[in-house]
Amino acid sequence: MTETTAPATELTSQYKNQVASDLDRNVKEQERVTAELTALQQQLAALQHDHSVLVSVQQALGATPAARPARTDSATAPSRRKKSEARPRKQAKTTPAKQSAGMTAAKTAGPTLVKLIQQHLSGQDEPRSAAEITTALSKAHPERGIKTSVVRTSLENLVARSQARRTKQGSSVFYSVTSQPESAAPGTKTQAGAAA
């Protein structure tokens, strides 16, 4: 009887340890998912805010470019554009207006968001998530209204140009600066400007 009780007690102890470990992992996973959910909610709020800003900019510029009303009326706009073959010229005219209007709405003065991101990442010892970068930049530049979705897009653009590196840990994505742009001519200026 004593032999049966000892293994049962040992097995119970192992189960208790395993359950405690599983519970701990579960709590950590809940915290991670909650953080991701919060980040996604912030992204949604940022997209909704960006949409309202873009609509305001579009309304402010509505009288200048003729392509604006045509884009909202998708049934008639394509045929008019094709007949006049003015589509490329309209895009060329509206793109700088959009960019300058976006810059006016998105920033007051100072370095671009991309420069701020590069500067922030250059000063970090380890990779950072888009949400962490957004939080840090928002604290440093509260007047800019920096959104996680815009930061993530900027980071992905930097990754595409080999000026940042993306790493995954589980389902989380982290970003860091790369050291290789120094050898590439276009990246050298950007990195040098970011470090200054």
Side-chain angles (χ1 to χ4, degrees):
M1 271 244 188
T2 326
E3 291 177 10
T4 308
T5 307
T9 305
E10 189 176 312
L11 187 61
T12 302
S13 176
Q14 287 177 352
Y15 280 139
K16 285 181 182 178
N17 289 338
Q18 184 63 44
V19 167
S21 175
D22 289 347
L23 280 171
D24 186 43
R25 263 188 253 124
N26 183 285
V27 168
K28 287 179 182 175
E29 185 67 10
Q30 286 182 43
E31 290 170 354
R32 184 190 64 77
V33 169
T34 301
E36 285 183 19
L37 180 60
T38 302
L40 287 172
Q41 288 172 333
Q42 289 174 347
Q43 270 186 290
L44 177 60
L47 287 170
Q48 291 169 338
H49 178 266
D50 292 348
H51 181 267
S52 64
V53 169
L54 290 170
V55 167
S56 298
V57 170
Q58 184 180 34
Q59 289 172 349
L61 298 174
T64 306
R68 297 261 184 229
R71 287 186 181 169
T72 58
D73 185 12
S74 60
T76 59
S79 61
R80 281 190 216 153
R81 285 188 201 144
K82 287 178 185 176
K83 287 178 187 175
S84 66
E85 294 186 65
R87 186 175 179 189
R89 285 186 285 137
K90 286 183 182 178
Q91 285 180 343
K93 288 180 183 175
T94 57
T95 302
K98 275 192 210 175
Q99 288 173 347
S100 63
M103 287 179 178
T104 304
K107 70 173 190 174
T108 53
T112 64
L113 180 60
V114 172
K115 294 283 186 196
L116 292 175
I117 291 170
Q118 288 176 316
Q119 289 171 352
H120 178 73
L121 285 176
S122 294
Q124 302 303 310
D125 294 338
E126 56 187 36
R128 301 285 183 208
S129 70
E132 291 171 323
I133 294 167
T134 303
T135 301
L137 293 179
S138 294
K139 286 179 183 175
H141 305 278
E143 74 285 355
R144 295 190 60 144
I146 298 170
K147 303 296 178 192
T148 306
S149 59
V150 179
V151 169
R152 184 172 284 111
T153 301
S154 299
L155 285 163
E156 289 299 327
N157 287 337
L158 287 171
V159 169
R161 294 191 315 242
S162 299
Q163 294 175 347
R165 181 177 27 251
R166 179 190 324 110
T167 54
K168 287 191 90 173
Q169 294 178 5
S171 61
S172 300
V173 179
F174 296 91
Y175 300 89
S176 59
V177 293
T178 59
S179 56
Q180 86 184 66
E182 294 174 6
S183 62
T188 306
K189 291 181 183 175
T190 306
Q191 289 297 324

